[in-house]
Amino acid sequence: ELKVEQNPLFLSMQEGKNYTIYCNYSTTSDRLYWYRQDPGKSLESLFVLLSNGAVKQEGRLMASLDTKARLSTLHITAAVHDLSATYFCAVAPYNNNDMRFGAGTRLTVKP
Amino acid sequence: DAMVIQNPRYQVTQFGKPVTLSCSQTLNHNVMYWYQQKSSQAPKLLFHYYDKDFNNEADTPDNFQSRRPNTSFCFLDIRSPGLGDAAMYLCATSDSRGWGYTFGSGTRLTVV
C-alpha cells in the first residue's frame, strides 16, 4: 500500500527565512502534487510534478521531484506571513489514479 | 469557468439520520473522487468512480455509499451518520491520466 510521509508536521518560521518541507513516498509513482489549505477551506493546487528532476517555482515556493529517491521537496524562500497555511503533498501510484496524501505540514510564519 | 461544485457548503444532520452530499462538475472529467477530511488530518480517499465503475477503498465503512447517475454528478450517501463522521467532505475530479485534480469547495458535515 502506498505510504506518503511528510516532515516536519509543524513548522514555525520567522519572516525572511528559508526552509524546506520533505515528502517521501513508498511506491513507484509518476505524479506528485503539492497543495495548500487554509483553515476551513478546500485544497488549492500549487504544483504538479510529472517527471524525475522536475522543478517548478511560483513566487517564494519551489518544488522538486526525485523519483529514484521517491522524494519531493517544497522549498520556501524568504517566508512572509501570507504563506501561513497547511501544505500537503500527495502521490498517485504508477498507472493508478488513487491519490494519497501526506499528513500535512502546518506552517506558521511569524513577523 | 469549468469547475467542481459541492452542495451544500455546510450540512447539519441528526445522529442516525441519512444524509446526502452532492458534487457536480463541468470539466467533463471521467474520474470523480470523494475524500473525507477530519479536523487537523489529511484527506482520506473513500472511493472513486472511473466512468461508471465504482472503486471502494478497503477501509471505507459500509455506512458510506456513492452514486454517479451521469458524468456530471456524484453523490455521497451516509446511511446512519455517527458523531465520528463529522468532517469536511471533498469531491475531486481528474481525467483518466490523473495529471491534475480539481477539488470542490467541500461540504462541512456536523452531526448532532
Side-chain angles (χ1 to χ4, degrees):
Chain A
E1 181 185 332
L2 170 62
K3 296 209 183 298
V4 183
E5 292 185 356
Q6 252 180 273
N7 68 86
L9 299 183
F10 298 92
L11 177 56
S12 181
M13 301 175 61
Q14 294 233 300
E15 279 191 330
K17 298 292 187 183
N18 305 333
Y19 208 85
T20 300
I21 300 170
Y22 297 88
C23 177
N24 290 92
Y25 54 96
S26 63
T27 193
T28 305
S29 171
D30 54 355
R31 287 157 292 158
L32 189 132
Y33 311 85
W34 284 97
Y35 292 91
R36 169 182 171 144
Q37 188 175 42
D38 292 297
K41 304 289 188 182
S42 186
L43 297 162
E44 175 190 353
S45 179
L46 296 174
F47 301 108
V48 181
L49 302 169
L50 300 175
S51 61
N52 186 41
V55 177
K56 291 194 175 181
Q57 182 163 4
E58 181 73 33
R60 300 174 188 276
L61 301 178
M62 183 174 70
S64 66
L65 177 61
D66 181 342
T67 58
K68 293 180 182 177
R70 297 180 183 170
L71 170 69
S72 179
T73 61
L74 180 66
H75 186 73
I76 303 158
T77 301
V80 293
H81 179 69
D82 286 352
L83 289 180
S84 297
T86 299
Y87 293 84
F88 290 99
C89 68
V91 179
Y94 186 70
N95 273 346
N96 183 314
N97 282 353
D98 291 352
M99 182 173 63
R100 313 241 174 206
F101 286 81
T105 297
R106 185 175 293 183
L107 171 65
T108 303
V109 181
K110 299 181 177 179
Chain B
D1 284 341
M3 50 198 312
V4 178
I5 301 168
Q6 289 188 245
N7 283 304
R9 287 294 312 276
Y10 302 91
Q11 175 75 56
V12 180
T13 191
Q14 289 184 332
F15 183 95
K17 184 175 181 180
V19 65
T20 295
L21 311 181
S22 76
C23 177
S24 65
Q25 57 137 336
T26 59
L27 296 156
N28 206 32
H29 281 167
N30 56 341
V31 194
M32 295 187 77
Y33 311 81
W34 281 103
Y35 286 85
Q36 178 194 60
Q37 187 179 25
K38 295 186 177 180
S39 182
S40 300
Q41 295 185 18
K44 178 182 179 299
L45 182 62
L46 294 175
F47 26 58
H48 76 271
Y49 272 95
Y50 194 116
D51 293 320
K52 294 193 173 189
D53 292 333
F54 178 69
N55 297 272
N56 199 31
E57 291 297 300
D59 56 356
T60 298
D62 292 341
N63 197 25
F64 291 85
Q65 304 285 321
S66 185
R67 297 170 282 134
R68 188 179 186 187
N70 54 52
T71 300
S72 300
F73 285 87
C74 195
F75 300 97
L76 171 62
D77 300 309
I78 309 176
R79 293 193 294 189
S80 181
L83 298 179
D85 297 328
M88 172 82 89
Y89 289 88
L90 296 164
C91 174
T93 72
S94 76
D95 63 16
S96 57
R97 297 168 303 176
W99 285 0
Y101 293 72
T102 303
F103 281 84
S105 299
T107 294
R108 182 166 296 283
L109 179 69
T110 301
V111 182
V112 296

